[in-house]
Amino acid sequence: MDTIQSIGYPIYFNDSINQLVKFVKDGDYSRFFILTDENTAKHCLPLIREKIDNLDNFDIIEINAGEESKDIDFCIGIWKMLIDFGADRQSLMINLGGGVISDLGGFAASTYKRGIDFVHVPTTLLAQVDASVGGKTGIDIDSIKNIIGTFTQPKAVFMEASFLNSLPDRQILSGLAEMLKHGLICDAAFWQQLKSSNLERPSVELIYRSVEIKNDVVIADPKETGIRKALNFGHTVGHAVETYSLIHDNGRHITHGEAIAIGMICEAWLSHKKIGLSEAELKEIVDVISALYPRYLLAEEANGELYALMQKDKKNQKGKINCTLLKQIGQYSIDNVCTEAELCESLRYYATL
């Protein structure tokens, strides 16, 4: 597989760790820092250290794993450690981890001393096909997803397939939701290919195609003023469900992908009701997603809170809730205003499946 070129940076799939070492050496950085969490420190960092331990100008910053770490307090902790370690504007941040590390590390780097270089080494399927590509950084406030952030492109992304071997099946499924979304919005043939594949462990070729789809959309619209909104399919409802779970489920919250799976079912139903997605394709989408992801109890009493969370979504305009919907599998439609009644009815539809 070839290297994918994004907006001024490469995405490496071949010999990625050696490419990372070469990048660091060629970059002539004053210092570099590896941001990680306890999981990637155990399973992934040793492979990196085998290659870089002969370099003496790096330090490791480790945070707690999980979405709860993606907030301003942890970000301040990273900034303080950079100060303590003497990081200057010629420093490099290597974000080694999943989506939380990519989002948080990118935000911390993009704002420290008005910006230092950073690269991503995504270690989860979700981070490989979503968070590491596209230049979005972000942190959460009051459990509202990515409400503070920047558009800042990494200097490179290094995809290492072997890192996925240590992931539990649930984390693979979390990333798979974004891959399914890429097919639904842009590539019906890819959706069909996914349906007929072993989705318990997607192949490197499928991951590569998923990254290609996202990258093509991002290149066409880097700052989400138009077609990049296509990538929000499933996320208006999905982010609200994810936030609701973070608030109420006491450490047993659902994954990002599980929430987006719910969001895609709800927004596919909205697509059928509002813009003509066929009943047959709605059923196809629901059947595929329902077979992969566990049911999540959404009681009628939760709908008011879920709608209030949707009202805080950063994609809204002029107080109206915008959804990306599907005209058909492989063809998206952006900027569809959905009412409270419609959104709550979509939640009821999911609850009664």
Side-chain angles (χ1 to χ4, degrees):
M1 285 173 293
D2 296 330
T3 297
I4 295 174
Q5 292 297 323
S6 193
I7 304 171
Y9 66 92
I11 305 169
Y12 294 101
F13 280 82
N14 298 321
D15 197 28
S16 59
I17 303 305
N18 286 327
Q19 291 286 358
L20 170 64
V21 174
K22 182 178 184 299
F23 177 91
V24 173
K25 290 180 176 178
D26 291 349
D28 194 29
Y29 289 102
S30 59
R31 298 191 63 76
F32 67 98
F33 303 88
I34 301 175
L35 178 66
T36 188
D37 61 34
E38 68 267 27
N39 293 330
T40 47
K42 177 181 178 181
H43 296 291
C44 306
L45 183 59
L47 181 60
I48 304 290
R49 296 202 66 153
E50 283 179 15
K51 305 288 186 177
I52 65 169
D53 265 356
N54 62 326
L55 304 177
D56 59 4
N57 60 334
F58 75 94
D59 289 287
I60 294 169
I61 301 173
E62 183 176 320
I63 65 169
N64 297 335
E67 186 74 22
E68 295 85 350
S69 296
K70 206 173 81 175
D71 68 7
I72 191 63
D73 292 327
F74 277 90
C75 190
I76 290 171
I78 293 169
W79 287 328
K80 286 183 175 180
M81 292 191 76
L82 290 172
I83 293 170
D84 291 344
F85 285 137
D88 59 22
R89 296 182 72 178
Q90 284 68 52
S91 300
L92 172 72
M93 177 85 82
I94 299 173
N95 297 316
L96 176 68
V100 169
I101 292 291
S102 297
D103 288 348
L104 174 61
F107 179 72
S110 71
T111 48
Y112 179 76
K113 294 192 174 180
R114 295 195 175 94
I116 61 173
D117 287 357
F118 64 93
V119 300
H120 295 314
V121 187
T123 61
T124 66
L125 182 58
L126 179 61
Q128 289 191 358
V129 300
D130 187 41
S132 67
V133 177
K136 282 185 177 181
T137 78
I139 58 172
D140 307 338
I141 290 183
D142 292 337
S143 297
I144 302 171
K145 292 274 293 182
N146 302 321
I147 197 67
I148 305 296
T150 67
F151 283 102
T152 310
Q153 302 297 338
K155 293 302 179 182
V157 177
F158 303 89
M159 304 287 191
E160 176 55 45
S162 67
F163 287 156
L164 302 185
N165 295 336
S166 65
L167 286 183
D169 291 345
R170 190 180 182 198
Q171 290 303 318
I172 294 291
L173 279 173
S174 185
L176 178 64
E178 295 288 349
M179 297 176 68
L180 293 167
K181 179 197 74 178
H182 291 158
L184 288 170
I185 62 172
C186 287
D187 191 338
F190 182 59
W191 164 261
Q192 294 300 328
Q193 188 179 7
L194 286 171
K195 283 175 55 183
S196 61
S197 301
N198 175 15
L199 296 182
E200 293 180 0
R201 292 282 158 173
S203 68
V204 176
E205 290 75 18
L206 289 174
I207 295 169
Y208 183 91
R209 177 58 187 147
S210 188
V211 173
E212 273 190 320
I213 293 170
K214 177 168 185 181
N215 189 56
D216 287 346
V217 173
V218 166
I219 288 174
D221 180 19
K223 293 195 173 180
E224 202 172 298
T225 59
I227 69 168
R228 185 168 177 170
K229 296 177 184 178
L231 296 169
N232 293 326
F233 175 65
H235 283 59
T236 298
V237 174
H239 272 170
V241 172
E242 185 177 5
T243 300
Y244 178 87
S245 179
L246 283 166
I247 293 170
H248 292 284
D249 289 344
N250 298 321
R252 300 183 301 277
H253 57 79
I254 61 178
T255 67
H256 174 76
E258 289 165 351
I260 297 310
I262 295 168
M264 288 193 291
I265 288 175
C266 291
E267 292 174 33
W269 181 87
L270 288 166
S271 301
H272 173 60
K273 292 296 182 181
K274 290 177 67 67
I275 65 168
L277 179 72
S278 73
E279 187 168 355
E281 289 198 327
L282 171 62
K283 183 178 186 302
E284 179 180 339
I285 293 166
V286 171
D287 287 348
V288 170
I289 293 175
S290 296
L292 289 166
Y293 295 91
R295 300 288 301 150
Y296 181 68
L297 179 63
L298 283 176
E300 176 77 21
E301 300 76 48
N303 288 354
E305 184 176 351
L306 287 164
Y307 178 72
L309 291 169
M310 292 181 218
Q311 288 179 302
K312 298 175 182 178
D313 193 292
K314 60 186 178 299
K315 301 182 293 294
N316 296 341
Q317 294 179 347
K318 298 180 180 179
K320 296 180 178 179
I321 295 178
N322 269 332
C323 290
T324 293
L325 302 179
L326 301 177
K327 297 177 183 177
Q328 60 187 47
I329 291 175
Q331 186 177 356
Y332 63 84
S333 171
I334 62 173
D335 293 333
N336 295 277
V337 174
C338 294
T339 66
E340 178 178 4
E342 290 169 336
L343 289 159
C344 288
E345 188 61 29
S346 76
L347 292 166
R348 293 186 193 100
Y349 171 77
Y350 172 78
T352 57
L353 288 175

